[in-house]
Amino acid sequence: MSQEPFDISNNAAESNLAPSHAYVSKKTKKEDVTSTAYTFTIVSVVGFILLILFGLDLLPFQSAAYSKTMILIVMGVMFTIFLFVGIHSFMELKSLSNAADREEQQFEEICQWFLDTYTAEKINADAGISDESEEQNYFLRYEIMRGLLLEKYPQTNASLIDHIIETIYDKIFLA
């Protein structure tokens, strides 16, 4: 019973051509990090206040000394970790904010260049579109658009290129 070797090169080539749909904008990441920063910082501060009140027996909870000590230690460590996560997230926000602005500017610049330079007819002609299925036409157009974008902007992130192609495709062929 011999098994055929798995041809990785063919699958790798196909996966490079198909859209990834994994694009998450830096603006969305910035919003997530902002939410994380505020949430973890607020929870840690409120937690520390409650721990201090609990440690001073100002809360109406009664517990044995060893239980109280364990609660204070474990919860103190947990809230300290929360505080560090919050602080780290706030520190990350500045660079993420700058990256989000650059990415948005790059996205707009590339889309505008492409829409000013190419038309649906030009892309269809380059792709050799005939009266095939709309799905087949999408992939032919995608190939041409990806090649044109990578030729002009070779250093652009692949997931951003995919997102740009989807945006441009909608404006050119589905509008």
Side-chain angles (χ1 to χ4, degrees), residues 18 50 68 96:
L50 289 174
K68 185 176 184 177
L96 203 50

Side-chain angles (χ1 to χ4, degrees), residues 11-59:
N11 287 338
E14 288 175 11
S15 69
N16 286 337
L17 300 177
S20 69
H21 302 289
Y23 175 74
V24 178
S25 71
K26 298 267 192 267
K27 183 178 178 181
T28 301
K29 289 179 185 178
K30 178 186 164 195
E31 292 168 359
D32 290 345
V33 170
T34 302
S35 174
T36 299
Y38 281 108
T39 302
F40 275 87
T41 303
I42 290 170
V43 168
S44 67
V45 169
V46 170
F48 280 128
I49 291 169
L50 289 174
L51 274 181
I52 290 169
L53 294 174
F54 179 71
L56 297 174
D57 291 326
L58 298 175
L59 294 178

Side-chain angles (χ1 to χ4, degrees), residues 3 14 16 19 22-23 57 63 73-74 78 88 90 108 113 125 140 144 161 164:
Q3 292 182 335
E14 288 175 11
N16 286 337
Y23 175 74
D57 291 326
S63 64
I73 291 171
V74 170
M78 184 180 75
H88 176 64
F90 275 117
E108 293 298 327
W113 167 81
L140 292 171
I144 296 301
I161 289 285
I164 291 169

Side-chain angles (χ1 to χ4, degrees), residues 58-88:
L58 298 175
L59 294 178
F61 300 113
Q62 299 299 323
S63 64
Y66 68 90
S67 294
K68 185 176 184 177
T69 304
M70 286 302 293
I71 289 171
L72 290 171
I73 291 171
V74 170
M75 296 304 284
V77 168
M78 184 180 75
F79 290 131
T80 301
I81 292 170
F82 283 9
L83 184 62
F84 283 125
V85 169
I87 291 170
H88 176 64

